[in-house]
Amino acid sequence: MPVNHHLARARKLITEQLQAIRESLLWILPCLMIISLTLFIASVGEFIFGRDEAWVKTVFELYYFVNDLFPILLTAALAYILAMRWRLPRPPIALVLIVYLSLFNQLFSVTQSTVIFELLISIVTPLYAVPLIAHIYGLRWLKLVSNNHLGRIVKESLNLIIPSILVGVIVLALNSSIILLIESSHLLNLFSINYSDSPIEFGAMFAMLNSFFWFLGIHGYYALLPLVDVLQNAVDVAQFEMQTTGTTAHFLNHSFMAVFTFVGGAGSTLGLVVALLLFSKNKAYRLIALASLPLGMLNINEVLLFGLPIIFNPRLFLPFLLAPVANTIVAYFAVSHGWVAMPVTGMPFSSPVFINAWIVTQGDINASFLQLFNIGVSCLVYAPFVLMNNRVTSNKTILFSSFDTTYSRRAEEAHTLSDDRVSQLVNDFKQQQELEDKLHAFSNKEFCLEYQPQVCRVSGKVVGCEALIRSIDKQGNIEYPGTFLPVFKQAGLMKDIDRWAVIQVVHDLKIAIAQGWAIPTSVNLTPETILDRDLMNQIAGYIGRVGEYVNVEITEESLLKDRPTVEASLHALHRVGAKIYIDDFGSGFSSLSYLTIFDVDAIKIDRSFIHTLENVKGQKVFNGLISVAQDLDLNVVVEGVESEMQLERIPMRNHLAIQGWYYCKSVSLPKLKQYIATRNRSVTHHNIVLEQT
């Protein structure tokens, strides 16, 4: 069981990390378009006017400048998303990660490995640095500020100082160790292949390795520079042999790979563009493909690499690897059989498709037709995977600013994780659409807590309250949880709501404590939260400083789940001083057995029992529950009391409290303070009068 639990957690973490990478790549798509358009203009200018033209040089310099910023932008976007997932202040975390990467690049910019792996480092660093910061940030003894007197932003910024410094040291040490290890191991030399033994094997391996490195976020061109030099030299040899002998065996060279293999860029992605435009049912993918088409005609495909994305996307890994290999084999076959002239003129990778093939073959129009044929070949390679993607991938995100969370509908994750929270929705589009329409409606509303007092049956004083969530629209109308909690439960957002509610209760309790009128406050936790050990440890940490005032209400449904996990969660709450209440007691099965199995402090008798007090059997059952609770030294809260007649049928017990509209509906925090003061003063005055009479 522990092994399966750890495997499930690891699987979930990997999926969340991949999702964060993909979302961050989409976030920087506008920046990427600007960078790619800069290169597009520079490449067109070079092709028409030559590299020595002044304005062409200037545009290329601009491109190199903004392109150098790309890894930093990627790190910032990924750090921001991970900060949301780990509940950290977003802008400071993004800025801290920018500083980490900038310091590292400045210290190690002279090494070849840093240049090659810069993109990978910009992705990997936030993946481990942000969780480390979150862990250290959660340690109380490292916090510089513990109260909110200075304001939330100041408090968060000051408390991030120590974690940021400690993790910064770790990042520099770890990243530098990796680079030094790569340098000393000569890892890149493992990919050296002898060109003279078999040019076609050399070309196919180069194409495959280039795609493989790009898929991992490693700049394939730089990683394979020794092989690129071999291909560049082959161009010179081919030119010499053609001039002296009229033929050459070195036609598979740099120009060959540039015009026939990488049609559209690394992975031969012009074929992917065509496949997306023809077969994809995803409107966003088709728009990305359309936007990348002009750039792809210059073999610039960063929009696809980072926009779809292709990087770290397992669904496109195989065709991204195979398409350029297929193009290499087809082109080699065509050229070796004399159907297309041998390419002997130098040509950069970023040159216009069709025109570049015509130039490198000294004006052979068949070379352009071969390019067109290879686009079709790579399209056929990508097409099955695009069609497969239609069946299993969908993606919608709805932001709930009040809860600091999002709802993501991803059939892709449902395919990966057997316990995906939306797997049941994937097969029913209508149900999905209805759910998302409701979520969109609630995403525009604010959420708050109201408090319903609990009154001692004997003294009549307020002895506690329960926190109840409410939604408020723009007109100030209040909606009760029955209208929105079922929707959030269906969407799998209850854990986020539980966490938000606990934070709000703790915040309000701190205010009440400071003002001297705090009372025990109950907050509800759902089964999903109780069964999430990591989240329960976070919640216990939130509750810690006001634990004596917190009562956590759980349902009988929670107790039916994984018993060891439930016991661990209850123990974590007890450890910080919180009390455990079983909510809606008596409405489920085997209720009495829970009182002996689990360490609970109180029960809340379900409101359905109040309606049975009018008959003898109902009174006996009700009184029996109270007697059992008294014998077990458990407190009792009776819910749903709405009339004086119902109140009179409830026995006088010191351990018993009443909650219901008879005394008070749920109210805001300021009104709760006023109600407590008024009621307790009135009860005290009444008791004094009775004593005097």
Side-chain angles (χ1 to χ4, degrees):
M1 189 70 179
V3 175
N4 292 335
H5 175 71
H6 290 309
L7 286 175
R9 286 183 61 187
R11 195 162 60 241
K12 180 181 177 183
L13 179 61
I14 292 171
T15 303
E16 289 179 347
Q17 299 287 64
L18 286 174
Q19 179 181 329
I21 292 173
R22 294 176 194 177
E23 289 179 356
S24 64
L25 291 175
L26 285 173
W27 276 22
I28 61 171
L29 191 55
C31 302
L32 187 61
M33 286 295 299
I34 294 173
I35 296 172
S36 298
L37 284 172
T38 306
L39 178 59
F40 178 85
I41 295 169
S43 299
V44 171
E46 180 188 24
F47 185 79
I48 297 175
F49 302 103
R51 188 76 177 240
D52 294 332
E53 189 75 19
W55 72 268
V56 174
K57 286 184 177 180
T58 302
V59 177
F60 266 113
E61 289 174 0
L62 287 174
Y63 164 72
Y64 294 138
F65 174 76
V66 294
N67 192 56
D68 287 341
L69 295 177
F70 181 74
I72 294 177
L73 296 174
L74 180 55
T75 294
L78 183 53
Y80 194 97
I81 289 174
L82 289 170
M84 285 195 290
R85 295 184 181 278
W86 289 94
R87 315 295 183 184
L88 292 170
R90 276 94 71 188
I93 293 297
L95 294 173
V96 165
L97 265 294
I98 289 174
V99 172
Y100 290 168
L101 195 66
S102 300
L103 287 173
F104 175 76
N105 288 341
Q106 189 66 30
L107 290 173
F108 293 90
S109 59
V110 294
T111 67
Q112 179 189 4
S113 296
T114 302
V115 176
I116 295 170
F117 293 96
E118 183 179 18
L119 196 58
L120 181 62
I121 290 170
S122 70
I123 295 173
V124 172
T125 301
L127 293 180
Y128 73 84
V130 175
L132 274 176
I133 292 175
H135 175 72
I136 299 175
Y137 185 76
L139 300 176
R140 294 183 187 173
W141 55 277
L142 286 179
K143 291 186 181 297
L144 298 178
V145 180
S146 59
N147 55 57
N148 292 315
H149 295 326
L150 297 176
R152 180 178 60 85
I153 295 177
V154 175
K155 176 186 175 182
E156 291 175 345
S157 299
L158 291 176
N159 286 338
L160 274 174
I161 292 175
I162 294 177
S164 299
I165 293 173
L166 294 177
V167 175
V169 174
I170 295 172
V171 166
L172 292 177
L174 187 58
N175 286 1
S176 60
S177 299
I178 293 173
I179 292 298
L180 293 175
L181 182 63
I182 293 171
E183 292 281 346
S184 61
S185 64
H186 305 289
L187 182 63
L188 299 178
N189 294 338
L190 297 176
F191 302 109
S192 297
I193 310 166
N194 196 331
Y195 178 91
S196 58
D197 290 344
S198 176
I200 181 61
E201 289 183 11
F202 182 94
M205 185 60 67
F206 178 87
M208 185 177 294
L209 286 174
N210 183 69
S211 294
F212 178 74
F213 282 126
W214 270 114
F215 178 82
L216 296 178
I218 301 170
H219 200 298
Y221 188 88
Y222 292 138
L224 299 172
L225 274 177
L227 278 63
V228 173
D229 290 339
V230 173
L231 291 170
Q232 291 277 22
N233 292 333
V235 175
D236 298 331
V237 175
Q239 289 177 343
F240 177 78
E241 289 180 345
M242 287 295 292
Q243 292 172 357
T244 56
T245 66
T247 187
T248 179
H250 291 78
F251 61 82
L252 197 154
N253 49 42
H254 189 275
S255 295
F256 178 99
M257 303 296 288
V259 300
F260 295 135
T261 296
F262 301 117
V263 188
S268 308
T269 48
L270 205 52
L272 174 58
V273 171
V274 176
L276 288 170
L277 292 175
L278 291 178
F279 306 117
S280 179
K281 295 181 180 179
N282 189 308
K283 184 178 179 181
Y285 288 171
R286 293 198 304 272
L287 287 174
I288 290 174
L290 198 60
S292 68
L293 184 57
L295 301 171
M297 296 300 293
L298 278 175
N299 293 333
I300 300 170
N301 68 343
E302 277 81 354
V303 173
L304 287 174
L305 288 174
F306 301 102
L308 284 177
I310 295 173
I311 290 177
F312 286 111
N313 186 348
R315 296 196 180 283
L316 290 175
F317 172 69
L318 195 58
F320 189 65
L321 223 62
L322 295 179
V325 175
N327 281 358
T328 302
I329 294 172
V330 169
Y332 187 88
F333 185 82
V335 175
S336 63
H337 282 73
W339 300 341
V340 176
M342 296 179 179
V344 294
T345 303
M347 182 63 60
F349 277 119
S350 56
S351 54
V353 175
F354 302 131
I355 297 175
N356 58 7
W358 184 76
I359 292 175
V360 299
T361 56
Q362 307 293 309
D364 186 0
I365 192 64
N366 288 336
S368 298
F369 284 116
L370 177 57
Q371 273 190 324
L372 185 62
F373 183 81
N374 272 1
I375 292 173
V377 169
S378 54
C379 175
L380 290 176
V381 173
Y382 280 108
F385 296 88
V386 172
L387 293 171
M388 185 188 308
N389 212 46
N390 287 338
R391 294 194 299 270
V392 297
T393 303
S394 59
N395 179 358
K396 290 189 180 178
T397 298
I398 301 171
L399 173 65
F400 291 90
S401 57
S402 293
F403 303 135
D404 194 16
T405 190
T406 59
Y407 163 77
S408 295
R409 172 168 59 84
R410 295 182 182 274
E412 184 176 29
E413 291 176 26
H415 183 74
T416 305
L417 293 176
S418 59
D419 61 342
D420 183 71
R421 63 186 183 183
V422 294
S423 58
Q424 294 180 352
L425 304 179
V426 174
N427 298 322
D428 191 338
F429 177 77
K430 182 178 179 181
Q431 188 177 4
Q432 284 179 333
Q433 197 61 49
E434 290 176 353
L435 173 64
E436 288 161 10
D437 289 344
K438 293 176 182 177
L439 289 172
H440 274 297
F442 286 121
S443 68
N444 296 321
K445 298 179 181 179
E446 294 295 325
F447 293 84
C448 67
L449 290 181
E450 289 188 341
Y451 297 90
Q452 187 170 30
Q454 297 167 346
V455 177
C456 176
R457 181 69 179 97
V458 175
S459 69
K461 292 185 177 182
V462 179
V463 292
C465 63
E466 179 182 4
L468 300 168
I469 188 172
R470 304 286 186 256
S471 73
I472 307 174
D473 62 21
K474 293 180 179 179
Q475 288 72 40
N477 300 315
I478 294 178
E479 293 185 8
Y480 292 93
T483 62
F484 55 83
L485 285 188
V487 179
F488 290 147
K489 184 175 182 180
Q490 188 179 3
L493 294 172
M494 292 308 298
K495 290 196 288 188
D496 294 292
I497 292 176
D498 286 350
R499 176 187 171 276
W500 173 84
V502 169
I503 292 174
Q504 291 298 117
V505 165
V506 171
H507 174 267
D508 290 350
L509 274 173
K510 287 181 178 179
I511 294 175
I513 291 170
Q515 295 175 354
W517 61 271
I519 57 173
T521 303
S522 297
V523 60
N524 292 273
L525 295 184
T526 57
E528 294 89 343
T529 299
I530 294 294
L531 294 174
D532 189 329
R533 294 195 181 193
D534 292 336
L535 180 56
M536 285 304 301
N537 288 332
Q538 287 184 31
I539 286 175
Y542 297 144
I543 292 174
R545 295 192 177 182
V546 294
E548 63 182 303
Y549 289 99
V550 176
N551 302 328
V552 174
E553 296 187 12
I554 62 175
T555 62
E556 294 176 276
E557 182 186 353
S558 303
L559 305 177
L560 291 170
K561 307 291 183 177
D562 179 7
R563 178 176 169 180
T565 302
V566 173
E567 288 179 336
S569 296
L570 300 187
H571 178 69
L573 294 170
H574 274 140
R575 193 169 58 245
V576 295
K579 292 181 173 59
I580 310 298
Y581 282 42
I582 299 181
D583 195 14
D584 300 330
F585 186 81
S587 61
F589 300 96
S590 305
S591 301
L592 293 176
S593 66
Y594 302 147
L595 304 181
T596 59
I597 295 174
F598 297 100
D599 185 14
V600 299
D601 303 287
I603 60 173
K604 294 191 72 176
I605 296 180
D606 186 66
R607 65 181 63 243
S608 61
F609 286 93
I610 298 299
H611 300 297
T612 66
L613 290 177
E614 297 177 1
N615 60 72
V616 177
K617 288 185 178 180
Q619 288 183 4
K620 288 182 177 180
V621 172
F622 183 82
N623 292 333
L625 290 176
I626 293 178
S627 297
V628 169
Q630 186 171 4
D631 292 340
L632 295 176
D633 198 24
L634 299 176
N635 290 327
V636 177
V637 177
V638 181
E639 294 185 282
V641 178
E642 299 177 359
S643 67
E644 187 173 359
M645 185 180 297
Q646 291 174 339
L647 180 65
E648 289 176 352
R649 290 193 171 101
I650 298 174
M652 289 285 188
R653 298 286 190 278
N654 282 318
H655 70 292
L656 196 152
I658 307 299
Q659 178 180 338
W661 285 11
Y662 174 75
Y663 283 113
C664 185
K665 296 182 179 181
S666 60
V667 294
S668 63
L669 188 70
K671 289 184 178 179
L672 175 67
K673 176 184 178 182
Q674 183 179 356
Y675 178 83
I676 293 172
T678 302
R679 175 154 191 90
N680 288 356
R681 184 168 58 247
S682 173
V683 169
T684 302
H685 176 73
H686 179 70
N687 291 339
I688 292 173
V689 171
L690 288 177
E691 289 176 2
Q692 291 176 346
T693 57

